[in-house]
Structures are given as structure tokens and as C-alpha cells.
Amino acid sequence: MSDPSTPKSSWRQRVRAFALVLLLLLSALFGAAFLWGYQQVARWLKPADSLEVYNGASVIMAVHKLARLESAQFNIEQVVDLTDKQKTFFGLLEVTDKILLVASGEVTVGVDLAELDENDVVVDISKKEAIVTLPPVRILSVRVDNERTYVHHRETDLLASRKDTLEAKARQEAERSIREAALNGGILEQGRRNAARTVESLINSLGYTMVTIRWGDA
């Protein structure tokens, strides 16, 4: 003989199972809605990023009189791959902190006309002849262009110490390499030719038809 309570019990089990599934779905939806709302509120309350710069008073330490003739400028790009090797675990393990810097800079050479004295310029008005002995061409400036220089890659091993000074060292190395590249590229010779042409043209404009350019000792 069948138990008349069995269908009712089975129906109750199905209702309870459905209620449990519905409760789980509502809990998941409520959790997702709460998380979304929290993220939105956090985004609204998060302060906007800003950089405040407070410059102190500027003090002029010195004023120099300049009479430089810039005669050549090289624009150079240089890639600097710098690796700081470190020892850890009592010197048994070597780890590294690396930086790859793409640097852009310029080197300017020229003549410092302030080094001229009265014996360096000899003129013969009757013959319209002038002999000028110029100071040697030197590097006047080496500059790394900060706007065009950037860190392409930075990698620090898990056990390595990340050196805050590594980028500064990379920029210093870039400046040295840019200077060396300009010298190897013949910037001094180019600057000497350009300076000679500029001075010769200037003296020609004063009425001297025969101009001789000589160079002093480096």
C-alpha cells in the first residue's frame, strides 16, 4: 500500500530546491550589484591625479659675457642598455636591475671669439687683405633632449633591488655616448669649415677681398 504523504513530500522537496536555487541566484545578483556599485562609488570618490610643483626662489649666482660663434650642431639618437648586477644569498646568486633608454640629444661646437686678441687680426687696408687667427673649435654644449628621451624598457629581477638612480646613470651615459659619437662623426672638422666660411664672409662684407683664416693651438 502506497504512502499518501509521498507526493506531498516530493513536492515539498522540489519547492525547497527551487527556493534554494532562487536564493543562490539572488545572492549572486545582489553581490554583483553591490560590487558594481562599490566600484562606481570608489571611482567617483577617487581623487583625480594631479602634480603640484612649488618652485623656490631663483638665485643668479654669476653672469658671464659670451661671444661664441656656433658653427655646427649634430642631432644624435643613442640607445643605452644599462644593467646593474647584484649579488644575493651571500653572494651565491646574481640578480639584475636593467634599463633600456632611448636618448636623443644634440652636440654644438664653435669658436669662442672672446679669446681673440689684437695680435690675432692683421689687416692691410691698402691691399684689402686680412689675416685672422681663430681660437680652436671646441664643443660648446652637449644636451640630452628630455622631451624626446624615454625609458623603453625596465626590468628588475624578483630578488633584485630596484635602483632609483639607474635612470640618471643611463642619461649620463647617453650624454657621454652622444658626445663621443659626434666627435667620431667629425663634428670638429665640420665646425672648423663652417666657422672659417662665416668669418671670411663677414670680413669680405667689410671690404677686404683677400682673407686668410688660420687656427690657433688647441
Side-chain angles (χ1 to χ4, degrees), residues 23-75:
L23 180 62
L24 291 175
L25 289 176
L26 290 176
S27 299
L29 290 175
F30 177 78
F34 178 80
L35 179 60
W36 179 85
Y38 174 80
Q39 290 175 344
Q40 295 301 315
V41 172
R43 183 180 303 174
W44 293 336
L45 296 179
K46 182 180 179 181
D49 294 336
S50 63
L51 178 64
E52 295 184 355
V53 179
Y54 298 96
N55 291 324
S58 299
V59 179
I60 299 176
M61 303 300 296
V63 177
H64 300 279
K65 182 179 179 180
L66 300 178
R68 293 177 174 177
L69 170 63
E70 297 182 354
S71 55
Q73 184 179 86
F74 281 14
N75 295 318

Side-chain angles (χ1 to χ4, degrees), residues 182-196:
L183 291 174
N184 293 336
I187 190 172
L188 293 179
E189 291 76 9
Q190 183 67 41
R192 189 178 292 110
R193 289 194 298 268
N194 293 346

Side-chain angles (χ1 to χ4, degrees), residues 10 41 63 66 130-131 137 163 205 213:
S10 176
V41 172
V63 177
L66 300 178
I131 301 175
V137 172
K163 298 293 184 63
S205 67
I213 304 297

Side-chain angles (χ1 to χ4, degrees), residues 54-192:
Y54 298 96
N55 291 324
S58 299
V59 179
I60 299 176
M61 303 300 296
V63 177
H64 300 279
K65 182 179 179 180
L66 300 178
R68 293 177 174 177
L69 170 63
E70 297 182 354
S71 55
Q73 184 179 86
F74 281 14
N75 295 318
I76 299 173
E77 289 191 353
Q78 183 74 34
V79 177
V80 177
D81 189 356
L82 200 61
T83 301
D84 178 38
K85 296 182 179 180
Q86 305 169 16
K87 295 288 187 178
T88 187
F89 281 117
F90 306 99
L92 299 177
L93 182 63
E94 182 178 88
V95 293
T96 59
D97 183 21
K98 300 179 181 180
I99 188 171
L100 183 65
L101 183 76
V102 179
S104 178
E106 60 184 32
V107 182
T108 304
V109 300
V111 176
D112 189 355
L113 298 178
E115 298 179 10
L116 283 172
D117 58 38
E118 58 182 12
N119 297 323
D120 292 328
V121 181
V122 179
V123 297
D124 189 330
I125 298 178
S126 61
K127 296 181 180 179
K128 295 184 178 181
E129 180 181 358
I131 301 175
V132 180
T133 303
L134 292 174
V137 172
R138 296 188 178 95
I139 292 180
L140 301 179
S141 66
V142 181
R143 187 180 71 89
V144 174
D145 189 344
N146 292 321
E147 293 185 357
R148 298 171 57 193
T149 298
Y150 60 94
V151 176
H152 183 271
H153 181 69
R154 183 71 188 266
E155 179 182 348
T156 305
D157 289 344
L158 180 62
L159 298 178
S161 175
R162 189 178 182 91
K163 298 293 184 63
D164 295 335
T165 59
L166 196 61
E167 182 176 347
K169 292 180 180 179
R171 288 177 178 270
Q172 293 173 357
E173 176 61 24
E175 182 176 318
R176 187 199 65 79
S177 300
I178 288 172
R179 177 190 179 100
E180 183 178 353
L183 291 174
N184 293 336
I187 190 172
L188 293 179
E189 291 76 9
Q190 183 67 41
R192 189 178 292 110

